[in-house]
CSV table of all heavy atoms in Angstrom, one decimal:
chain,number,residue,atom,x,y,z
A,122,ALA,N,103.2,108.5,80.6
A,122,ALA,CA,102.6,107.9,81.8
A,122,ALA,C,103.8,107.7,82.8
A,122,ALA,O,104.9,107.3,82.4
A,122,ALA,CB,101.9,106.6,81.5
A,123,VAL,N,103.4,107.9,84.1
A,123,VAL,CA,104.4,107.6,85.1
A,123,VAL,C,104.4,106.2,85.6
A,123,VAL,O,103.3,105.5,85.5
A,123,VAL,CB,104.2,108.6,86.4
A,123,VAL,CG1,104.5,110.0,86.0
A,123,VAL,CG2,102.8,108.4,86.9
A,124,THR,N,105.5,105.6,86.0
A,124,THR,CA,105.6,104.3,86.5
A,124,THR,C,105.7,104.3,88.0
A,124,THR,O,106.7,104.9,88.5
A,124,THR,CB,106.8,103.6,85.9
A,124,THR,OG1,106.7,103.6,84.4
A,124,THR,CG2,106.9,102.1,86.3
A,125,PRO,N,104.9,103.6,88.7
A,125,PRO,CA,105.0,103.6,90.2
A,125,PRO,C,106.2,102.6,90.5
A,125,PRO,O,106.5,101.7,89.8
A,125,PRO,CB,103.7,103.0,90.7
A,125,PRO,CG,103.2,102.2,89.5
A,125,PRO,CD,103.7,102.9,88.3
A,126,VAL,N,106.9,103.0,91.6
A,126,VAL,CA,108.0,102.2,92.1
A,126,VAL,C,107.7,102.0,93.6
A,126,VAL,O,107.5,102.9,94.4
A,126,VAL,CB,109.4,102.9,92.0
A,126,VAL,CG1,110.5,102.0,92.6
A,126,VAL,CG2,109.7,103.1,90.5
A,127,VAL,N,107.6,100.7,94.0
A,127,VAL,CA,107.3,100.3,95.4
A,127,VAL,C,108.4,99.4,95.9
A,127,VAL,O,108.6,98.3,95.3
A,127,VAL,CB,105.9,99.7,95.6
A,127,VAL,CG1,105.6,99.3,97.0
A,127,VAL,CG2,104.8,100.5,95.0
A,128,VAL,N,109.1,99.8,96.9
A,128,VAL,CA,110.1,99.0,97.5
A,128,VAL,C,109.7,98.8,99.0
A,128,VAL,O,109.5,99.7,99.7
A,128,VAL,CB,111.5,99.7,97.5
A,128,VAL,CG1,112.6,98.8,98.1
A,128,VAL,CG2,111.9,100.1,96.1
A,129,ARG,N,109.7,97.5,99.4
A,129,ARG,CA,109.4,97.1,100.8
A,129,ARG,C,110.6,96.4,101.3
A,129,ARG,O,111.3,95.7,100.6
A,129,ARG,CB,108.2,96.2,100.8
A,129,ARG,CG,106.9,96.8,100.4
A,129,ARG,CD,105.8,95.8,100.4
A,129,ARG,NE,104.5,96.5,100.1
A,129,ARG,CZ,104.0,96.5,98.8
A,129,ARG,NH1,104.6,95.9,97.9
A,129,ARG,NH2,102.9,97.1,98.6
A,130,ALA,N,110.9,96.7,102.6
A,130,ALA,CA,112.1,96.0,103.2
A,130,ALA,C,112.0,95.9,104.7
A,130,ALA,O,111.3,96.7,105.3
A,130,ALA,CB,113.4,96.9,102.8
A,131,LYS,N,112.7,95.0,105.2
A,131,LYS,CA,112.8,94.9,106.7
A,131,LYS,C,113.5,96.0,107.3
A,131,LYS,O,113.2,96.6,108.3
A,131,LYS,CB,113.4,93.6,107.1
A,131,LYS,CG,112.5,92.4,107.0
A,131,LYS,CD,113.1,91.1,107.7
A,131,LYS,CE,112.2,90.0,107.5
A,131,LYS,NZ,112.7,88.8,108.2
A,132,ARG,N,114.6,96.5,106.5
A,132,ARG,CA,115.4,97.6,106.9
A,132,ARG,C,115.8,98.4,105.7
A,132,ARG,O,116.2,97.9,104.7
A,132,ARG,CB,116.7,97.1,107.6
A,132,ARG,CG,116.5,96.7,109.0
A,132,ARG,CD,117.8,96.1,109.5
A,132,ARG,NE,118.4,95.0,108.7
A,132,ARG,CZ,117.9,93.8,108.6
A,132,ARG,NH1,116.9,93.4,109.3
A,132,ARG,NH2,118.5,92.9,107.9
A,133,PHE,N,115.7,99.7,105.8
A,133,PHE,CA,116.3,100.7,104.9
A,133,PHE,C,117.4,101.4,105.7
A,133,PHE,O,117.1,101.9,106.8
A,133,PHE,CB,115.3,101.7,104.4
A,133,PHE,CG,114.3,101.2,103.5
A,133,PHE,CD1,113.0,100.9,103.9
A,133,PHE,CD2,114.5,101.2,102.1
A,133,PHE,CE1,112.0,100.4,103.1
A,133,PHE,CE2,113.5,100.7,101.2
A,133,PHE,CZ,112.3,100.4,101.7
A,134,ARG,N,118.6,101.5,105.2
A,134,ARG,CA,119.7,102.3,105.8
A,134,ARG,C,119.9,103.4,104.8
A,134,ARG,O,120.3,103.2,103.7
A,134,ARG,CB,120.9,101.5,106.0
A,134,ARG,CG,120.8,100.4,107.0
A,134,ARG,CD,122.1,99.6,107.2
A,134,ARG,NE,122.5,98.8,106.0
A,134,ARG,CZ,123.5,99.0,105.3
A,134,ARG,NH1,124.4,99.9,105.5
A,134,ARG,NH2,123.7,98.2,104.2
A,135,GLN,N,119.7,104.7,105.3
A,135,GLN,CA,120.0,105.8,104.5
A,135,GLN,C,121.5,106.2,104.8
A,135,GLN,O,121.9,106.5,105.9
A,135,GLN,CB,119.1,107.0,104.8
A,135,GLN,CG,119.5,108.2,103.9
A,135,GLN,CD,118.4,109.2,103.9
A,135,GLN,OE1,117.2,108.9,103.7
A,135,GLN,NE2,118.8,110.5,104.0
A,136,LEU,N,122.3,106.2,103.7
A,136,LEU,CA,123.7,106.4,103.8
A,136,LEU,C,124.1,107.9,103.7
A,136,LEU,O,125.0,108.4,104.2
A,136,LEU,CB,124.5,105.6,102.8
A,136,LEU,CG,124.2,104.1,102.9
A,136,LEU,CD1,125.0,103.3,101.8
A,136,LEU,CD2,124.5,103.5,104.3
A,137,ASP,N,123.3,108.6,102.9
A,137,ASP,CA,123.4,110.0,102.6
A,137,ASP,C,122.2,110.5,102.0
A,137,ASP,O,121.2,109.7,101.8
A,137,ASP,CB,124.7,110.4,101.8
A,137,ASP,CG,124.8,109.7,100.5
A,137,ASP,OD1,123.7,109.6,99.8
A,137,ASP,OD2,125.8,109.2,100.1
A,138,SER,N,122.1,111.8,101.5
A,138,SER,CA,120.8,112.3,101.0
A,138,SER,C,120.4,111.7,99.7
A,138,SER,O,119.3,111.8,99.3
A,138,SER,CB,120.9,113.8,100.8
A,138,SER,OG,121.9,114.1,99.9
A,139,GLN,N,121.3,111.0,99.0
A,139,GLN,CA,121.0,110.3,97.7
A,139,GLN,C,121.1,108.8,97.7
A,139,GLN,O,120.7,108.2,96.7
A,139,GLN,CB,121.8,110.9,96.6
A,139,GLN,CG,121.3,112.2,96.1
A,139,GLN,CD,122.4,113.3,96.2
A,139,GLN,OE1,123.5,113.1,96.4
A,139,GLN,NE2,122.0,114.5,96.0
A,140,THR,N,121.5,108.2,98.8
A,140,THR,CA,121.8,106.7,98.7
A,140,THR,C,121.1,106.1,99.9
A,140,THR,O,121.3,106.5,101.1
A,140,THR,CB,123.3,106.4,98.8
A,140,THR,OG1,123.9,107.2,97.8
A,140,THR,CG2,123.5,105.0,98.5
A,141,MET,N,120.3,105.0,99.6
A,141,MET,CA,119.6,104.2,100.6
A,141,MET,C,119.8,102.7,100.2
A,141,MET,O,119.8,102.4,99.1
A,141,MET,CB,118.2,104.6,100.6
A,141,MET,CG,117.4,104.2,101.8
A,141,MET,SD,115.7,104.7,101.5
A,141,MET,CE,115.5,105.8,102.9
A,142,VAL,N,120.0,101.9,101.2
A,142,VAL,CA,120.1,100.5,101.0
A,142,VAL,C,118.9,99.8,101.6
A,142,VAL,O,118.6,100.0,102.8
A,142,VAL,CB,121.4,99.9,101.6
A,142,VAL,CG1,121.5,98.4,101.5
A,142,VAL,CG2,122.7,100.5,101.0
A,143,ALA,N,118.2,99.0,100.8
A,143,ALA,CA,117.1,98.2,101.3
A,143,ALA,C,117.6,96.8,101.5
A,143,ALA,O,118.2,96.1,100.7
A,143,ALA,CB,116.0,98.2,100.2
A,144,GLU,N,117.3,96.2,102.7
A,144,GLU,CA,117.7,94.9,103.1
A,144,GLU,C,116.5,94.0,103.3
A,144,GLU,O,115.5,94.4,104.0
A,144,GLU,CB,118.5,94.9,104.4
A,144,GLU,CG,119.8,95.8,104.2
A,144,GLU,CD,120.5,96.0,105.6
A,144,GLU,OE1,119.9,95.7,106.6
A,144,GLU,OE2,121.6,96.4,105.5
A,145,GLU,N,116.6,92.8,102.8
A,145,GLU,CA,115.5,91.8,102.9
A,145,GLU,C,114.1,92.3,102.6
A,145,GLU,O,113.3,92.5,103.4
A,145,GLU,CB,115.5,91.2,104.4
A,145,GLU,CG,116.8,90.6,104.8
A,145,GLU,CD,116.7,90.0,106.2
A,145,GLU,OE1,115.7,89.3,106.5
A,145,GLU,OE2,117.6,90.4,107.0
A,146,GLY,N,114.0,92.5,101.3
A,146,GLY,CA,112.7,93.1,100.8
A,146,GLY,C,112.3,92.7,99.4
A,146,GLY,O,112.7,91.7,98.9
A,147,SER,N,111.6,93.6,98.8
A,147,SER,CA,111.1,93.3,97.4
A,147,SER,C,110.9,94.7,96.7
A,147,SER,O,110.8,95.7,97.4
A,147,SER,CB,109.8,92.6,97.4
A,147,SER,OG,108.8,93.3,98.0
A,148,PHE,N,110.8,94.6,95.4
A,148,PHE,CA,110.4,95.8,94.7
A,148,PHE,C,109.5,95.4,93.5
A,148,PHE,O,109.6,94.3,93.0
A,148,PHE,CB,111.6,96.7,94.2
A,148,PHE,CG,112.5,96.1,93.2
A,148,PHE,CD1,112.3,96.3,91.8
A,148,PHE,CD2,113.6,95.3,93.5
A,148,PHE,CE1,113.1,95.7,90.9
A,148,PHE,CE2,114.4,94.8,92.6
A,148,PHE,CZ,114.2,94.9,91.3
A,149,THR,N,108.6,96.4,93.2
A,149,THR,CA,107.6,96.1,92.2
A,149,THR,C,107.2,97.4,91.6
A,149,THR,O,107.5,98.5,92.1
A,149,THR,CB,106.4,95.4,92.8
A,149,THR,OG1,105.5,95.1,91.8
A,149,THR,CG2,105.7,96.2,93.9
A,150,THR,N,106.5,97.4,90.5
A,150,THR,CA,105.8,98.5,89.9
A,150,THR,C,104.3,98.4,90.1
A,150,THR,O,103.6,99.2,89.5
A,150,THR,CB,106.2,98.7,88.4
A,150,THR,OG1,105.8,97.5,87.7
A,150,THR,CG2,107.7,99.0,88.2
A,151,CYS,N,103.9,97.5,90.9
A,151,CYS,CA,102.5,97.3,91.2
A,151,CYS,C,102.1,98.0,92.5
A,151,CYS,O,102.8,97.8,93.5
A,151,CYS,CB,102.2,95.8,91.3
A,151,CYS,SG,100.5,95.4,91.7
A,152,GLU,N,101.1,98.8,92.4
A,152,GLU,CA,100.7,99.7,93.6
A,152,GLU,C,99.8,99.0,94.6
A,152,GLU,O,99.5,99.6,95.6
A,152,GLU,CB,100.1,101.0,93.1
A,152,GLU,CG,101.0,101.9,92.3
A,152,GLU,CD,100.3,103.2,91.9
A,152,GLU,OE1,99.5,103.2,91.0
A,152,GLU,OE2,100.7,104.2,92.6
A,153,PHE,N,99.4,97.8,94.3
A,153,PHE,CA,98.5,97.1,95.2
A,153,PHE,C,99.2,96.8,96.5
A,153,PHE,O,100.4,96.5,96.6
A,153,PHE,CB,97.9,95.8,94.6
A,153,PHE,CG,97.1,96.1,93.3
A,153,PHE,CD1,97.5,95.5,92.1
A,153,PHE,CD2,96.0,96.9,93.4
A,153,PHE,CE1,96.8,95.8,91.0
A,153,PHE,CE2,95.2,97.1,92.2
A,153,PHE,CZ,95.6,96.6,91.0
A,154,GLY,N,98.4,96.7,97.6
A,154,GLY,CA,98.9,96.3,98.9
A,154,GLY,C,99.6,94.9,98.9
A,154,GLY,O,100.6,94.7,99.4
A,155,GLU,N,99.0,94.0,98.2
A,155,GLU,CA,99.5,92.7,97.9
A,155,GLU,C,99.8,92.7,96.4
A,155,GLU,O,98.9,92.4,95.6
A,155,GLU,CB,98.5,91.6,98.3
A,155,GLU,CG,99.1,90.2,98.3
A,155,GLU,CD,100.2,90.0,99.3
A,155,GLU,OE1,100.0,90.5,100.5
A,155,GLU,OE2,101.2,89.3,99.0
A,156,PRO,N,101.0,92.9,96.0
A,156,PRO,CA,101.3,93.1,94.5
A,156,PRO,C,101.1,91.8,93.7
A,156,PRO,O,101.2,90.7,94.2
A,156,PRO,CB,102.8,93.5,94.5
A,156,PRO,CG,103.3,93.1,95.8
A,156,PRO,CD,102.2,93.0,96.8
A,157,ASP,N,100.7,92.0,92.4
A,157,ASP,CA,100.6,90.9,91.5
A,157,ASP,C,101.9,90.2,91.3
A,157,ASP,O,102.0,89.0,91.1
A,157,ASP,CB,100.1,91.4,90.1
A,157,ASP,CG,98.6,91.9,90.2
A,157,ASP,OD1,97.9,91.5,91.1
A,157,ASP,OD2,98.3,92.7,89.3
A,158,TYR,N,103.0,91.0,91.4
A,158,TYR,CA,104.3,90.4,91.2
A,158,TYR,C,105.3,91.3,92.0
A,158,TYR,O,105.0,92.5,92.2
A,158,TYR,CB,104.7,90.4,89.7
A,158,TYR,CG,104.8,91.8,89.2
A,158,TYR,CD1,106.0,92.5,89.2
A,158,TYR,CD2,103.7,92.4,88.7
A,158,TYR,CE1,106.1,93.8,88.7
A,158,TYR,CE2,103.8,93.7,88.2
A,158,TYR,CZ,105.0,94.4,88.2
A,158,TYR,OH,105.1,95.7,87.8
A,159,ALA,N,106.4,90.7,92.4
A,159,ALA,CA,107.4,91.5,93.1
A,159,ALA,C,108.7,90.7,92.9
A,159,ALA,O,108.7,89.5,92.8
A,159,ALA,CB,107.1,91.7,94.5
A,160,ILE,N,109.8,91.4,92.9
A,160,ILE,CA,111.1,90.7,92.8
A,160,ILE,C,111.7,90.8,94.3
A,160,ILE,O,111.9,91.9,94.8
A,160,ILE,CB,112.1,91.5,91.9
A,160,ILE,CG1,111.5,91.3,90.4
A,160,ILE,CG2,113.5,90.9,91.9
A,160,ILE,CD1,112.2,92.2,89.4
A,161,GLU,N,111.9,89.6,94.8
A,161,GLU,CA,112.4,89.5,96.2
A,161,GLU,C,113.9,89.7,96.2
A,161,GLU,O,114.6,89.2,95.3
A,161,GLU,CB,112.2,88.1,96.8
A,161,GLU,CG,110.7,87.8,96.9
A,161,GLU,CD,110.0,88.6,97.9
A,161,GLU,OE1,110.5,88.8,99.0
A,161,GLU,OE2,108.8,89.0,97.7
Side-chain angles (χ1 to χ4, degrees):
V123 293
T124 303
V126 176
V127 180
V128 181
R129 294 178 177 97
K131 284 191 177 183
R132 282 174 306 284
F133 288 96
R134 290 181 294 116
Q135 181 162 314
L136 307 179
D137 57 43
S138 64
Q139 279 125 11
T140 311
M141 193 180 244
V142 175
E144 299 173 346
E145 299 181 52
S147 65
F148 67 91
T149 182
T150 57
C151 180
E152 293 184 287
F153 299 119
E155 190 65 40
D157 292 337
Y158 66 92
I160 297 172
E161 300 290 320

